[in-house]
Amino acid sequence: NCLTETPFLTDQSYREIKQILDLSLNCIQLIKSTTFFTMNKLIRLNLSSNRLMLIEKMAFGKLNKLADLDLNNNSLCDLDEFTFTGLNSLISLNLRENLIEEIRRSLFVDLFNLKSLNLGKNRLRSIEAGSFRNLNELKLLDLKKVQQSENHN
């Protein structure tokens, strides 16, 4: 497939998508704030291997049962502080192989059940102090092959 945007799913078509949605291996560049608005029963969402550059604020905000979010192998570089707001059931977050340069203190604030966070193969130049403060359940933090940029702060 080569979907360039997430498909519009009506309530009728969503009834078939109960808990798992796999949109990997497409050409999706943008996740709108309304894309997953009616999908509050999703437990697993795979958006890996797309061309994601932007996730609008609160795009995942209604996914309060989501346990696994895979954003691996995209082109994400700037994650808004509200990107993961509301994902308080999330256990695994894969952000490997993106272009992320900065982790802000408030980025993971709602992820207090997170056990696995993969940030490997990004271009991290800074991680603000306290960024992992609320991640009390975190068992695995993967920073393998992070391409560190010089920090001039």
Side-chain angles (χ1 to χ4, degrees):
N1 292 332
C2 198
L3 295 172
T4 55
E5 58 184 55
T6 52
F8 177 75
L9 299 170
T10 62
D11 286 340
Q12 179 67 28
S13 61
Y14 175 63
R15 287 185 189 142
E16 302 301 316
I17 304 168
K18 296 289 189 198
Q19 297 179 329
I20 299 171
L21 180 58
D22 188 343
L23 293 170
S24 64
L25 301 168
N26 279 290
C27 303
I28 300 168
Q29 297 178 1
L30 166 69
I31 301 295
K32 296 180 181 177
S33 60
T34 56
T35 300
F36 303 111
F37 195 74
T38 61
M39 300 185 194
N40 59 350
K41 292 181 180 158
L42 273 182
I43 293 174
R44 187 167 191 218
L45 178 57
N46 188 346
L47 292 163
S48 66
S49 300
N50 275 283
R51 296 180 184 162
L52 276 176
M53 294 188 295
L54 180 63
I55 300 173
E56 288 184 357
K57 289 181 182 181
M58 302 295 294
F60 305 123
K62 297 290 184 181
L63 302 180
N64 58 355
K65 294 181 181 172
L66 194 68
D68 183 8
L69 178 57
D70 192 343
L71 296 166
N72 176 50
N73 193 23
N74 279 290
S75 298
L76 295 168
C77 61
D78 186 30
L79 297 173
D80 183 89
E81 64 182 319
F82 300 106
T83 301
F84 304 117
T85 298
L87 294 179
N88 47 15
S89 294
L90 201 65
I91 293 171
S92 176
L93 176 58
N94 189 351
L95 291 166
R96 184 175 178 80
E97 290 187 70
N98 277 283
L99 306 171
I100 300 167
E101 295 182 346
E102 180 180 19
I103 302 294
R104 293 186 187 96
R105 178 179 307 117
S106 56
L107 184 61
F108 304 126
V109 73
D110 279 355
L111 306 184
F112 44 82
N113 286 307
L114 196 68
K115 293 183 179 177
S116 174
L117 176 58
N118 192 335
L119 292 168
K121 286 189 131 182
N122 275 287
R123 297 180 180 173
L124 291 177
R125 59 178 173 79
S126 72
I127 298 175
E128 284 186 10
S131 294
F132 307 119
R133 162 185 70 232
N134 289 346
L135 304 181
N136 296 328
E137 299 296 320
L138 195 66
K139 305 289 185 224
L140 174 66
L141 175 60
D142 189 340
L143 294 168
K144 289 182 196 136
K145 296 188 179 181
V146 168
Q147 300 171 7
Q148 294 179 338
S149 302
E150 281 189 37
N151 190 348
H152 298 288
N153 293 340

